[in-house]
């Protein structure tokens, strides 16, 4: 997945991201299993899950501010070192039988809060590791690697490790965080100018690792609003961020009732549910690995439009058919379209947004899109209880089709020239870099 032309430095960053995601995929189900062994109260188990979902909403914008204030490479190293220490402490507490529900909730909160700083810094660091033209392929490789680490390796292994010892999944997670920190630490600091990093392939042209000078010393509120204001001022990115919120409203609803729909409507046996979901991972992997090539051959906007149409058709088929094989294939196509979109849109933002604002603008996009997923999940749960999960899935498909129609208009052919044109990053012309808004 880490092709030679992306370089050794990208290989280090890719390996760190994959190692960290593997640990996450081992820890997350292990936390749920541990909570279920401590109590059978659904409210307590749910609190542990929600504790890991709240920090990105509460601290996402703050993480973007500090990703622009601090050196991004050092931020990622420090955050992963801290996460390694937190999960190692949890492993010890579990081993000595001192981990109650309160400890699990606190751990989930702290790890998710630290993750917001890591994600913002990683999003902004990638453009300093590969040339702009390689950003679509680089984002695709990152999505593909983390999908394999989570879907094919980590999640299946979590239950096996937990069966051996309840503390073992957390010890493995701590080790992956430590390995990820060392891999990022191995990245070269590179030439500096006012603490800025040189973008690969642009000799002598600094791309700042943070916002220096007065902007870096400003108040948190002003710096946060600067990222939101920049996003608001770019009509295309702002519209697609709003539409990403609409898409995540549908996706949140889909995920909330997916297991019930698959088991009760498609009649997939419980033993086959994991295999059914594996198809989604395979589809997402295919989309991620082909994102860069498709954008280079067909253009970013046509690929983005095609991805949305494919997802809309796939969701409609999934909502209407009652045959598990066809349903599984439709969901795999939906996953492929999602990774295509995420890879290309992330690359567009990384190439377009001024380097000093990358952390804040990326965090603003993520926060806008994440806010709607819990709303969709809650609405799906209530509607499913009242009307059944079949109608909910039809409503999900309708919402996604409406989002696609609006995005189709926003991504009209006239936009293609501006998307694929050489953008300006912090005043420095950079080579073309086609486009994760969702």
């Amino acid at each position: 997945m880490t092709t030679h032309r992306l370089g050794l430095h990208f290989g280090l960053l890719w390996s760190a991201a994959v190692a960290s995601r593997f640990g996450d995929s081992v820890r997350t189900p292990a936390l749920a299993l541990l909570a279920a062994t401590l109590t059978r109260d659904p409210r307590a188990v749910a609190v542990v899950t929600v504790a890991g979902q709240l920090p990105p909403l509460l601290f996402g914008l703050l993480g973007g501010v500090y990703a622009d204030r601090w050196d991004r490479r050092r931020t990622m190293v420090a955050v992963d070192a801290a996460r390694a220490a937190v999960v190692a402490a949890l492993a010890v507490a579990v081993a000595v039988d001192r981990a109650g529900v309160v400890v699990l909730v606190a751990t989930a909160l702290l790890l998710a809060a630290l993750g917001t700083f890591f994600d913002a810094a990683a999003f902004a660091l990638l453009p300093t590791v590969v040339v702009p033209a390689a950003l679509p392929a680089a984002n695709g490789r990152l999505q593909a690697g983390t999908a394999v680490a989570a879907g094919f390796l980590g999640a299946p292994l979590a239950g096996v490790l937990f069966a051996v010892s309840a503390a073992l999944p957390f010890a493995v997670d701590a080790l992956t965080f430590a390995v990820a920190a060392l891999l990022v630490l191995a990245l070269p600091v590179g030439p500096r100018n006012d603490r800025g990093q040189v973008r690969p392939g642009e000799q002598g042209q600094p791309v700042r690792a943070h916002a220096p000078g007065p902007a870096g010393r400003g108040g948190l509120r002003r710096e946060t609003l600067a990222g939101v204001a920049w996003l608001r001022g770019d009509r295309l990115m702002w519209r697609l961020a709003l539409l990403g919120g609409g898409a995540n409203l549908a996706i949140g609803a889909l995920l909330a009732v997916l297991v019930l729909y698959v088991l009760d409507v498609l009649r997939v046996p419980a033993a086959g549910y994991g295999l059914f979901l594996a198809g989604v991972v395979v589809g997402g992997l295919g989309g991620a690995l082909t994102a860069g090539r498709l954008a280079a051959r067909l253009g970013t906007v046509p690929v983005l439009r095609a991805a949305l149409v494919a997802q809309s058709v796939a969701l409609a088929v999934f909502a209407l058919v009652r045959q598990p094989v066809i349903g599984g294939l439709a969901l795999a196509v939906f996953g492929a379209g999602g990774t295509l979109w995420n890879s290309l849109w992330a690359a567009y933002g990384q190439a377009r947004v001024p380097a000093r604002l990358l952390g804040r603008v990326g965090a603003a996009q993520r926060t806008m899109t994440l806010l709607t997923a819990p709303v969709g999940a809650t609405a799906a749960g209530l509607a499913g209880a009242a009307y059944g999960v079949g109608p909910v899935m039809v409503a999900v498909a309708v919402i996604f089709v409406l989002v696609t129609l609006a995005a189709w208009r926003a991504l009209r052919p006239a936009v293609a020239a501006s998307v694929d044109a050489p953008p300006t990053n912090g005043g420095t012309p950079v080579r073309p870099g086609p486009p994760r808004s969702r």
Side-chain angles (χ1 to χ4, degrees):
M1 294 181 189
T2 53
T3 59
H4 175 69
R5 76 182 175 89
L6 292 175
L8 174 62
H9 298 162
F10 174 76
L12 291 171
L13 185 61
W14 182 90
S15 299
V18 170
S20 182
R21 185 70 183 97
F22 171 76
D24 288 342
S25 63
V26 170
R27 181 192 71 249
T28 301
L31 271 176
L33 288 170
L34 182 57
T37 62
L38 295 173
T39 176
R40 288 297 180 181
D41 186 345
R43 295 169 297 180
V45 176
V47 166
V48 176
T49 302
V50 172
Q53 298 172 343
L54 282 178
L57 301 178
L58 300 176
F59 307 117
L61 293 175
L62 186 65
V65 170
Y66 283 105
D68 289 337
R69 276 191 178 190
W70 299 336
D71 180 274
R72 290 156 183 165
R73 170 178 160 272
R74 293 175 183 173
T75 298
M76 293 171 66
V77 172
V79 167
D80 265 352
R83 292 196 287 187
V86 170
V87 184
L90 175 62
V92 173
V94 173
V96 298
D97 199 22
R98 290 291 185 271
V101 173
V102 174
V103 172
L104 301 189
V105 171
T107 301
L109 279 170
L110 184 55
L111 290 173
L114 288 169
T116 62
F117 293 88
F118 183 92
D119 292 342
F123 176 82
L125 182 67
L126 182 59
T128 70
V129 175
V130 300
V131 295
L135 282 172
N139 279 285
R141 297 301 189 276
L142 282 170
Q143 291 221 10
T146 54
V148 170
F152 290 143
L153 301 178
L157 187 60
V160 176
L161 295 176
F162 190 85
V164 175
S165 169
L168 189 55
F170 307 109
V172 169
D173 189 30
L175 179 62
T176 62
F177 278 135
V179 169
L182 291 175
L183 288 167
V184 175
L185 190 63
L187 286 170
V189 174
R192 295 275 180 165
N193 181 2
D194 190 20
R195 293 175 59 82
Q197 292 181 325
V198 172
R199 183 186 291 274
E202 294 176 5
Q203 297 299 324
Q205 296 293 346
V207 174
R208 303 188 188 282
H210 62 90
R217 296 193 295 266
L220 287 175
R221 182 174 180 273
R222 186 180 68 181
E223 292 182 61
T224 301
L225 292 178
V228 176
W230 194 97
L231 180 62
R232 182 68 182 86
D234 187 293
R235 292 180 63 187
L236 179 60
M237 292 188 67
W238 177 255
R239 288 178 180 179
L240 292 183
L242 292 175
L243 291 171
N248 268 359
L249 181 74
I251 293 171
L254 169 69
L255 295 178
V257 298
L258 180 62
V259 63
L260 295 176
Y261 186 81
V262 171
L263 297 179
D264 297 341
V265 178
L266 296 184
R267 303 296 181 183
V268 174
Y273 182 66
L275 182 62
F276 187 90
L277 293 185
V280 184
V281 179
V282 172
L285 180 61
L289 290 176
T290 58
R293 293 176 183 175
L294 289 174
R297 176 172 297 182
L298 304 175
T300 298
V301 168
V303 175
L304 288 175
R305 283 181 142 197
L308 286 173
V309 171
Q311 286 189 287
S312 295
V313 173
L315 263 188
V317 171
F318 185 69
L320 296 176
V321 302
R322 295 295 181 265
Q323 213 282 338
V325 174
I326 296 177
L329 291 174
L331 208 56
V333 171
F334 184 79
T339 55
L340 265 176
W341 177 280
N342 290 340
S343 300
L344 297 182
W345 192 245
Y348 174 75
Q350 288 161 340
R352 201 80 182 174
V353 179
R356 68 185 186 279
L357 292 170
L358 258 178
R360 282 168 282 177
V361 174
Q365 283 185 302
R366 282 191 298 275
T367 302
M368 286 177 62
T369 56
L370 285 173
L371 282 171
T372 57
V375 177
T378 302
L382 296 174
Y387 306 109
V389 294
V392 170
M393 203 59 65
V394 172
V396 166
V398 170
I399 292 172
F400 205 92
V401 167
L402 293 175
V403 170
T404 296
L405 292 174
W408 186 272
R409 178 178 173 81
L411 290 168
R412 58 192 183 279
V415 175
S418 64
V419 169
D420 289 318
T424 300
N425 195 319
T428 301
V430 298
R431 293 192 298 278
R436 179 172 172 172
S437 168
R438 282 180 290 175

